[in-house]
Amino acid sequence: MKKSLVLMILLFTTIIFAQQQKVEKWDIYEAEFNGPDYGNPFVGITLSAEFHHSDSTHAVYEPEGFYDGEGIFKIRFMPDLEGEWTFKTHSNKKELDGLTGEFTCIAPKSDSHGPVVVRNKYHFAYADGKPYFPFGTTCYQWCFESPELQNQTLETLKNSPFNKVRFLVLPNYTEDYVEGPRAIKEFPFEGEPENKWDFSRFNTTFFKAFEKNVERLRELGIEADVILFRPYDNGKFGFDTMDRETNDRYLRYVIARLGAYSNVWWSLANENSFIRHLTAEDWDHYFKVVRDKDPYHHLRSIHNAGDLYDYTKPWVTHVSLQYYNVVRNFGVCMVVRDIYGKPLVNDEINYEGNIASRWGQLSGEEMTRRFWIAYIGGSYATHGEAIEHESKIDWISEGGVLRGTSAERIGFLREIVESGPQEGLQPLDHYYLLNAAGKYGEYYLYYFAEHTPEEWEFKLPDEGLENGMKFKAELIDTWNMTITPINKVYTVEMLNRYNYIDKDHSVIKFPKKPYMALRLTRIQE
Amino acid sequence: MKKSLVLMILLFTTIIFAQQQKVEKWDIYEAEFNGPDYGNPFVGITLSAEFHHSDSTHAVYEPEGFYDGEGIFKIRFMPDLEGEWTFKTHSNKKELDGLTGEFTCIAPKSDSHGPVVVRNKYHFAYADGKPYFPFGTTCYQWCFESPELQNQTLETLKNSPFNKVRFLVLPNYTEDYVEGPRAIKEFPFEGEPENKWDFSRFNTTFFKAFEKNVERLRELGIEADVILFRPYDNGKFGFDTMDRETNDRYLRYVIARLGAYSNVWWSLANENSFIRHLTAEDWDHYFKVVRDKDPYHHLRSIHNAGDLYDYTKPWVTHVSLQYYNVVRNFGVCMVVRDIYGKPLVNDEINYEGNIASRWGQLSGEEMTRRFWIAYIGGSYATHGEAIEHESKIDWISEGGVLRGTSAERIGFLREIVESGPQEGLQPLDHYYLLNAAGKYGEYYLYYFAEHTPEEWEFKLPDEGLENGMKFKAELIDTWNMTITPINKVYTVEMLNRYNYIDKDHSVIKFPKKPYMALRLTRIQE
């Protein structure tokens, strides 16, 4: 009797609370319930809620809830349509079952565009249609560092050209994380390092801080490429040798907590093949868990090392590749794109740096060059820095500040890409013209990499051109970040079955410098 | 009564005949039966035979038979084990059902090694274990040319370095094949050009000649990469717009006739995506027909244009690729190999030639260079020539004679490859050393392509090496086809975590010429 009274009051309160609430589109509605706090509430209690829009033709979502400690259960929901929403819970616990609520979804703020989805086969856009061109960076462990360092990392990201960051949920093993000033205070599981974990209990303090970081990234307009599993454990923490039941529970918990953040991407693993005991079939299984439990279908991929997971599988939304050769030379990105038929994000192309490991020895010039080759190839890339410094704080590991020379140039490239074709750069010819991308008849971006041409004969592939079309040209110095307009209007005429040239047979003079590009834009009359 | 007497005599004759017969392993046993010659014997009559070896643990094969005209039905079988074989037919026609026979399989001739299969994941071998390194060429239409030209083509192939040839079963359309001196006399179907075909009746005269050519190739030790479908019809012959029932019947007929030839490979199509109305699902279906009807599981692939068929599918044995960028630069073949996990045969890398179409404009040097890049990348390649000549006979189309400069150099490469590691060349480092292949600790082949190094610092990747191992070195001029031994023994010692060098810190002097290679071979003490 007393129990059901409490329940009634709770339900009433919840409804009152929900009725008052207004939630922006793509922001998070959160319902909170009291539930059992005895035993282990992380295990064996099912909780989800069906969210219905008042327009009954709209999709119904059923996110799972999660236990947040101290008898509190939460369900988070990201509404994707303005108007009235209602929900009703399902649970195997009576006190959590059949609870209802409602809220109003209002227009998003002008800088909120929703989750990123695949668009135009090889490219991305936000849910509201605004193009999203990934310019990623990498700070694997930033969420395990001190609050001061985390703040610095966010400040750096805010002022950087990067709009996506790859990072870990499960800390990698290092002695510094066990003892000493950098020792991690909050781990994802209850227990203590090195390996005394209760894998059946999540540490809500850890997750509250972690999701706060995801939220802070969202406020900065940065996508959180959340890496769910990783190797690098050497059997110490044991986070890479958890059993399937634990892994499944962990995935569901992470999705229940983070899924409603519009800026989340799921990276099933970093360097997955280094987790030797997990097979392609295991990854299939985990992909399916993520696909089935995330009602919003955030982007899903997996980041390889050595053996490649089969990215053609239907639950993979894009290719998160580590294969440096793909961005070393022109013409390879399109091979990989054509094989997979999905967007290609070169999420590891070696790092700008000077460390002893050869994966961290790129010059800023070479990092920038690889970025350009990726984008000219109709794909995307991710930056990282491994630059030795007395602070022993490395951007790719701990975050902090950027010290390299490539980030600024990547920002310059981003400006060029974002002001180019909104559907994404399209390689213009997969077989015979490998250093140019754009949009037929409208926009041509040539990149000359390390070559130092003295001149460029005005010649464009035929597709989309007609005699008499007019173009302007700009010389771009991708290293010194200058754009120099050429004071001439070019008028094309057909040369042969493959090409058009300028009617004056123009040749564009180049400074004999590396890392030059050329932008040709149609002049609409 | 009379009918069953005929049947008895026929059966008796067959058995007698079979008992007398000795068939070499991997050669063809052919059983011949009289059957109905009324109506259309090509349609609606099922015929197959189970072949059992006296060792009952050996695989049972059930090839389909085919109608060969004039009331004669045949079943061909390629035995793969010496000893006694028996067979029994299955048919929906009483007079063809339950017929039995036997023959003895004897040892093959010393130059007969059986069908080629995938071995060592990315490589090939004959059924008897002898390595097979594909060095292909292309003569699409040679089987539709005059007997004199066919003989010349075979003579050329005999004296060439090539051990695989790609060619069509269904002629492409050209006016010359309809009227005039080159008009095709025998087409695969009964009827007449341009498009008055009875697709339900095969022209046995055509197929007898076609399979004779496959046999002649087999005698020369050349694999027949038989292309089953092709575009290039422009609606004229209509061979690329046959319906599924016709295509299925055609495939089964071709497999019944040709499957027993040990040297057959099945190429489902040339430039398959140019057959616009056939989808990936259609190709899946045709692949499955070939897989299910060919008891010997000859190699199966499909050759792309533009859109790529998904070569990860389980019925694809190897990748038959047209993507020139893969062999333009180092480091790309391994990307494609790693993606597919199957042997990569770059079956079209542009052609050596001087024609107006840009796919036929490679210099001999560039064709040779692309071959080397393919093999150094752990993959294989296929040659072709499109060289304008007054005869209007082009090697890639009609056959005839070779006029280019690459074939001889490809032969030189073949000698090097065949005398190298018998498991096939293994790229030594997929990420940081892209121009070398071999076998760790044993054999290293470096190729310098268009570069003209003055010297090469003796430095090898660490895997498989130990201090004190000794190596000899040879300079190879891949264009002038010379091999120059260097009069020194190199003894390796560890330099760092990645490399070994020669203990004397040796540098090998190079002539400043392009297209050089270096071969290092371990000296066993």
Side-chain angles (χ1 to χ4, degrees):
Chain A
M1 193 68 168
K2 192 183 161 199
K3 199 170 167 185
S4 65
L5 189 64
V6 168
L7 187 67
M8 286 295 287
I9 290 165
L10 177 70
L11 185 60
F12 188 67
T13 318
T14 308
I15 289 170
I16 293 294
F17 181 67
Q19 279 176 332
Q20 292 171 328
Q21 234 181 311
K22 294 203 188 321
V23 178
E24 284 176 22
K25 188 176 175 182
W26 300 310
D27 198 352
I28 299 174
Y29 171 78
E30 185 175 282
E32 191 177 311
F33 315 104
N34 287 320
D37 62 353
Y38 46 83
N40 182 353
F42 291 106
V43 176
I45 299 178
T46 63
L47 175 63
S48 65
E50 275 179 49
F51 284 83
H52 292 260
H53 191 271
S54 59
D55 175 356
S56 63
T57 63
H58 192 66
V60 174
Y61 296 96
E62 190 169 355
E64 290 195 326
F66 62 93
Y67 182 61
D68 202 24
E70 300 174 347
I72 294 170
F73 289 78
K74 290 180 176 170
I75 294 180
R76 289 180 180 154
F77 176 61
M78 179 189 76
D80 63 348
L81 186 63
E82 291 172 47
E84 302 306 312
W85 287 85
T86 57
F87 72 86
K88 185 179 176 186
T89 64
H90 299 291
S91 176
N92 60 357
K93 289 285 165 185
K94 214 171 164 188
E95 60 265 55
L96 293 171
D97 189 51
L99 306 180
T100 61
E102 57 188 46
F103 68 94
T104 303
C105 177
I106 59 173
K109 279 197 274 288
S110 64
D111 60 352
S112 167
H113 306 285
V116 171
V117 296
V118 172
R119 193 183 65 168
N120 194 14
K121 191 168 183 177
Y122 296 116
H123 303 282
F124 300 96
Y126 293 101
D128 72 352
K130 180 181 154 78
Y132 170 79
F133 305 105
F135 283 81
T137 190
T138 314
C139 303
Y140 287 116
Q141 299 144 233
W142 77 280
C143 291
F144 315 123
E145 301 302 319
S146 69
E148 297 72 29
L149 186 51
Q150 290 186 28
N151 288 337
Q152 188 185 43
T153 302
L154 284 165
E155 190 61 22
T156 303
L157 284 169
K158 182 182 171 183
N159 299 310
S160 82
F162 302 116
N163 60 11
K164 177 171 91 74
V165 58
R166 300 178 63 235
F167 58 103
L168 302 173
V169 182
L170 298 171
N172 56 309
Y173 180 82
T174 152
E175 286 179 11
D176 289 350
Y177 280 169
V178 180
E179 280 188 312
R182 287 182 58 213
I184 295 178
K185 289 180 188 63
E186 305 294 343
F187 281 87
F189 298 96
E190 290 192 13
E192 52 185 69
E194 293 190 352
N195 58 13
K196 291 181 194 146
W197 309 113
D198 181 350
F199 283 132
S200 74
R201 289 176 188 270
F202 298 100
N203 177 358
T204 57
T205 309
F206 168 85
F207 278 100
K208 282 171 186 168
F210 189 87
E211 67 206 19
K212 184 69 194 166
N213 281 337
V214 172
E215 188 183 332
R216 293 202 284 178
L217 291 173
R218 193 186 59 173
E219 285 164 13
L220 297 177
I222 296 173
E223 301 297 299
D225 203 349
V226 173
I227 301 171
L228 296 163
F229 296 104
R230 86 292 174 278
Y232 326 122
D233 206 307
N234 302 311
K236 300 290 178 58
F237 286 153
F239 296 148
D240 60 351
T241 50
M242 302 184 298
D243 61 21
R244 182 174 284 198
E245 189 187 337
T246 304
N247 284 341
D248 285 356
R249 193 168 46 234
Y250 158 76
L251 286 177
R252 290 170 68 169
Y253 194 75
V254 172
I255 293 165
R257 295 200 74 114
L258 296 181
Y261 291 85
S262 61
N263 60 327
V264 161
W265 298 26
W266 305 119
S267 179
L268 265 288
N270 203 49
E271 301 199 314
N272 70 291
S273 63
F274 287 164
I275 309 178
R276 305 284 178 202
H277 69 289
L278 292 184
T279 63
E281 289 67 35
D282 289 318
W283 293 116
D284 293 350
H285 167 80
Y286 295 125
F287 261 112
K288 288 181 204 166
V289 171
V290 175
R291 178 194 60 187
D292 295 344
K293 295 300 172 186
D294 167 12
Y296 319 105
H297 299 298
H298 287 293
L299 293 167
R300 283 179 300 267
S301 193
I302 189 168
H303 189 69
N304 69 291
D307 292 344
L308 292 166
Y309 182 79
D310 181 358
Y311 294 100
T312 65
K313 289 184 174 170
W315 40 79
V316 179
T317 56
H318 65 286
V319 183
S320 171
L321 196 70
Q322 174 176 208
Y323 215 133
Y324 326 128
N325 306 359
V326 173
V327 293
R328 269 207 181 89
N329 288 298
F330 291 112
V332 193
C333 291
M334 42 264 230
V335 176
V336 175
R337 274 184 15 153
D338 282 346
I339 287 175
Y340 290 124
K342 296 179 183 180
L344 168 60
V345 184
N346 291 284
D347 264 323
E348 203 167 335
I349 59 176
N350 291 148
Y351 301 123
E352 180 178 355
N354 56 0
I355 62 171
S357 294
R358 56 190 178 176
W359 48 258
Q361 299 177 348
L362 291 190
S363 65
E365 286 85 349
E366 178 61 12
M367 173 60 92
T368 308
R369 177 183 167 278
R370 289 184 184 192
F371 255 79
W372 271 85
I373 288 175
Y375 289 72
I376 290 288
S379 72
Y380 299 95
T382 295
H383 158 276
E385 273 185 16
I387 297 174
E388 289 200 340
H389 187 264
E390 56 189 14
S391 68
K392 308 248 175 181
I393 295 171
D394 218 359
W395 177 254
I396 58 155
S397 299
E398 295 86 19
V401 297
L402 289 164
R403 297 193 174 86
T405 55
S406 66
E408 193 182 355
R409 277 82 186 183
I410 292 166
F412 181 71
L413 170 61
R414 182 175 167 185
E415 285 170 24
I416 290 171
V417 170
E418 291 190 341
S419 64
Q422 295 300 288
E423 41 294 57
L425 289 171
Q426 160 71 20
L428 296 173
D429 181 332
H430 287 207
Y431 305 119
Y432 298 96
L433 172 65
L434 306 184
N435 70 328
K439 181 178 178 181
Y440 296 120
E442 298 292 335
Y443 180 98
Y444 299 84
L445 187 61
Y446 283 73
Y447 176 58
F448 298 93
E450 71 277 21
H451 305 290
T452 55
E454 289 183 58
E455 56 181 37
W456 180 81
E457 184 193 347
F458 191 105
K459 191 163 79 173
L460 298 176
D462 66 314
E463 192 160 341
L465 293 180
E466 286 172 28
N467 284 343
M469 285 181 172
K470 292 186 180 352
F471 289 85
K472 65 173 182 170
E474 293 156 302
L475 271 183
I476 298 173
D477 183 328
T478 69
W479 185 252
N480 294 304
M481 298 178 282
T482 60
I483 300 178
T484 310
I486 296 173
N487 185 24
K488 177 171 168 59
V489 171
Y490 299 90
T491 306
V492 300
E493 65 176 26
M494 188 187 283
L495 172 68
N496 56 32
R497 62 202 273 205
Y498 298 125
N499 291 113
Y500 279 66
I501 57 171
D502 172 50
K503 70 175 173 45
D504 301 333
H505 295 223
S506 292
V507 162
I508 294 178
K509 295 288 174 196
F510 270 61
K512 288 183 66 180
K513 289 161 71 178
Y515 311 126
M516 295 299 294
L518 177 70
R519 180 166 64 184
L520 304 170
T521 314
R522 184 155 172 220
I523 303 167
Q524 297 287 356
E525 293 174 300
Chain B
M1 193 69 169
K2 194 182 160 198
K3 200 170 168 187
S4 66
L5 188 65
V6 170
L7 188 67
M8 288 293 289
I9 291 166
L10 178 69
L11 184 62
F12 188 67
T13 318
T14 307
I15 291 169
I16 294 293
F17 181 66
Q19 278 176 332
Q20 292 171 331
Q21 235 181 312
K22 294 206 190 315
V23 178
E24 285 176 23
K25 188 176 174 182
W26 299 311
D27 199 354
I28 299 174
Y29 171 77
E30 185 175 281
E32 191 176 312
F33 315 104
N34 287 322
D37 63 353
Y38 47 83
N40 182 353
F42 291 106
V43 176
I45 298 176
T46 65
L47 175 63
S48 66
E50 274 179 50
F51 284 83
H52 293 260
H53 191 271
S54 59
D55 174 356
S56 63
T57 64
H58 192 67
V60 175
Y61 296 96
E62 190 169 354
E64 290 195 325
F66 61 92
Y67 182 60
D68 203 25
E70 298 175 347
I72 293 170
F73 288 79
K74 290 178 176 171
I75 294 180
R76 289 180 179 153
F77 176 62
M78 179 190 76
D80 62 348
L81 187 63
E82 291 171 46
E84 301 307 312
W85 288 84
T86 58
F87 72 86
K88 184 179 176 185
T89 64
H90 299 292
S91 176
N92 61 354
K93 288 287 166 184
K94 213 171 165 188
E95 60 264 54
L96 292 171
D97 187 51
L99 306 180
T100 62
E102 57 186 48
F103 68 94
T104 303
C105 176
I106 60 172
K109 278 196 276 287
S110 64
D111 61 353
S112 167
H113 305 285
V116 171
V117 295
V118 172
R119 191 182 67 165
N120 194 16
K121 193 167 183 178
Y122 296 116
H123 302 282
F124 301 95
Y126 294 101
D128 72 351
K130 180 181 156 78
Y132 170 78
F133 305 104
F135 284 81
T137 191
T138 313
C139 303
Y140 288 116
Q141 298 143 234
W142 77 279
C143 290
F144 314 123
E145 302 301 319
S146 69
E148 297 71 29
L149 186 51
Q150 291 186 28
N151 288 337
Q152 188 186 44
T153 302
L154 284 164
E155 189 62 22
T156 302
L157 285 169
K158 182 182 171 182
N159 298 311
S160 83
F162 302 116
N163 60 12
K164 177 171 91 72
V165 59
R166 302 178 63 236
F167 58 102
L168 303 173
V169 182
L170 299 170
N172 56 310
Y173 180 83
T174 152
E175 285 180 11
D176 288 352
Y177 280 170
V178 180
E179 280 189 314
R182 289 182 57 212
I184 295 177
K185 290 183 187 63
E186 305 294 342
F187 281 87
F189 298 96
E190 291 191 13
E192 54 186 67
E194 291 189 355
N195 59 10
K196 291 181 195 145
W197 309 113
D198 180 350
F199 284 132
S200 74
R201 291 174 186 270
F202 299 100
N203 177 359
T204 58
T205 308
F206 168 85
F207 279 101
K208 283 172 186 166
F210 189 88
E211 68 205 18
K212 184 69 194 166
N213 281 337
V214 172
E215 187 184 332
R216 294 201 284 177
L217 291 172
R218 193 187 60 174
E219 286 164 11
L220 297 177
I222 295 173
E223 301 296 301
D225 203 349
V226 174
I227 301 170
L228 295 164
F229 295 104
R230 86 291 174 280
Y232 327 122
D233 204 305
N234 301 313
K236 299 292 178 58
F237 285 154
F239 296 149
D240 59 353
T241 49
M242 302 186 298
D243 61 22
R244 181 174 284 197
E245 188 188 337
T246 304
N247 284 342
D248 285 356
R249 192 168 49 233
Y250 158 75
L251 286 177
R252 291 171 67 170
Y253 194 76
V254 171
I255 293 165
R257 295 201 74 116
L258 295 181
Y261 291 85
S262 61
N263 61 326
V264 161
W265 299 25
W266 305 120
S267 179
L268 266 287
N270 204 52
E271 301 198 315
N272 70 290
S273 64
F274 287 164
I275 308 179
R276 306 283 178 199
H277 69 288
L278 293 183
T279 65
E281 290 66 36
D282 289 319
W283 293 115
D284 292 350
H285 167 80
Y286 295 125
F287 261 111
K288 288 181 203 167
V289 170
V290 174
R291 178 194 63 186
D292 295 344
K293 294 301 171 186
D294 166 13
Y296 320 106
H297 299 298
H298 288 293
L299 294 167
R300 283 180 299 268
S301 195
I302 188 166
H303 188 68
N304 69 290
D307 293 343
L308 291 166
Y309 182 79
D310 181 358
Y311 293 101
T312 65
K313 289 184 174 170
W315 40 78
V316 179
T317 57
H318 65 287
V319 183
S320 171
L321 197 69
Q322 174 176 211
Y323 215 133
Y324 325 128
N325 305 359
V326 173
V327 293
R328 270 206 180 91
N329 287 298
F330 291 112
V332 193
C333 291
M334 40 266 229
V335 176
V336 175
R337 273 183 18 152
D338 283 345
I339 288 175
Y340 290 123
K342 297 178 182 182
L344 169 61
V345 185
N346 291 284
D347 265 323
E348 203 165 336
I349 58 176
N350 291 147
Y351 301 122
E352 181 179 354
N354 56 1
I355 63 171
S357 295
R358 55 191 179 177
W359 48 257
Q361 299 178 347
L362 292 189
S363 66
E365 286 84 348
E366 178 60 14
M367 172 61 92
T368 307
R369 177 183 166 278
R370 292 184 182 191
F371 255 79
W372 271 85
I373 288 176
Y375 289 73
I376 290 288
S379 72
Y380 299 94
T382 295
H383 158 276
E385 274 184 16
I387 298 174
E388 289 202 337
H389 187 263
E390 58 188 12
S391 69
K392 308 249 175 183
I393 295 171
D394 218 358
W395 177 254
I396 58 155
S397 300
E398 295 84 19
V401 297
L402 289 163
R403 296 193 174 87
T405 55
S406 67
E408 192 181 356
R409 278 82 187 184
I410 292 167
F412 180 70
L413 171 61
R414 181 175 168 185
E415 285 170 23
I416 290 171
V417 170
E418 291 189 340
S419 65
Q422 294 301 287
E423 43 289 62
L425 289 172
Q426 160 72 19
L428 297 173
D429 181 332
H430 287 208
Y431 305 119
Y432 298 97
L433 173 65
L434 306 183
N435 71 327
K439 181 180 178 180
Y440 296 120
E442 298 290 335
Y443 180 98
Y444 299 84
L445 187 61
Y446 284 72
Y447 176 58
F448 299 91
E450 70 276 22
H451 305 291
T452 55
E454 288 184 59
E455 56 182 37
W456 181 81
E457 183 193 346
F458 192 105
K459 190 162 78 173
L460 299 176
D462 67 313
E463 191 161 342
L465 292 181
E466 287 173 25
N467 283 343
M469 285 181 172
K470 292 187 181 353
F471 288 85
K472 65 173 181 171
E474 294 157 300
L475 271 183
I476 298 173
D477 183 328
T478 69
W479 185 252
N480 293 305
M481 297 178 283
T482 60
I483 300 178
T484 310
I486 296 172
N487 186 24
K488 177 170 170 59
V489 172
Y490 300 90
T491 306
V492 300
E493 65 178 26
M494 189 187 284
L495 172 68
N496 56 31
R497 64 201 275 205
Y498 297 126
N499 291 112
Y500 280 66
I501 55 170
D502 173 48
K503 69 172 173 49
D504 302 332
H505 294 222
S506 292
V507 161
I508 294 178
K509 295 287 175 198
F510 270 63
K512 288 183 64 178
K513 289 161 69 178
Y515 311 125
M516 295 298 295
L518 177 69
R519 180 166 64 183
L520 304 170
T521 314
R522 182 154 172 221
I523 303 165
Q524 297 286 357
E525 291 174 300

